[in-house]
Amino acid sequence: MDIQLSHLRLSADDAYPPLPENRAYALVIIAHEETSAYWRRGLAEKMAVGACVQANIWGSDAEEWCADIDAANALSIMTEERAEYFPDIEVSSQSSRVIDDVFDFATAQMHTSEAEELSLLIVLEIGEPAWRYDLSGMACRAARDWGAMAAYAC
């Protein structure tokens, strides 16, 4: 399976990023800055009624992200807003790990997902990092390590 990588960078509380609605995707949220509860909940709802099947969070307010995504996912299922052909969002906080491990975990989980044709990994970087990371390089390395070739897609 080839993994396509999309890297989106935005400031905390900016307009919501464009996310696929009809193609299953895994999301890695790298939160360098805290966001407002209102913004987090809004993005979580957008993920839950869309095609997100996996969310891995690293950084600031990771536990709040997990809680908001779980709540939005449960509500979308209960109100039947979630498309039947997408499995529930699997959510995990990776803040206790080094940043490289987030991508290893995400790509490994993509291979075990119930979603058909899960080949898109979106890295959503929020805020300015305290120091520079090569997130795209980390994600590509992780994809290659799991037997996949990473290709860039928008």
Side-chain angles (χ1 to χ4, degrees), residues 28-114:
V28 173
I29 297 173
I30 306 293
H32 300 296
E33 297 176 9
E34 290 184 9
T35 57
S36 69
Y38 177 80
W39 192 85
R40 261 193 332 271
R41 284 186 209 117
L43 183 58
E45 288 171 12
K46 183 174 179 165
M47 293 162 53
V49 298
C52 183
V53 297
Q54 179 185 323
N56 301 283
I57 298 96
W58 184 92
S60 297
D61 53 1
E63 296 306 316
E64 288 87 353
W65 273 105
C66 288
D68 289 338
I69 294 168
D70 280 337
N73 192 43
L75 182 62
S76 71
I77 292 166
M78 213 167 51
T79 57
E80 298 181 356
E81 290 182 54
R82 180 100 173 145
E84 323 178 354
Y85 43 89
F86 293 122
D88 299 352
I89 301 173
E90 293 180 37
V91 183
S92 68
S93 170
Q94 303 294 313
S95 289
S96 62
R97 300 172 182 253
V98 295
I99 196 166
D100 296 56
D101 288 351
V102 178
F103 299 103
D104 290 338
F105 185 82
T107 54
Q109 291 300 104
M110 287 175 75
H111 287 78
T112 62
S113 175
E114 296 174 22

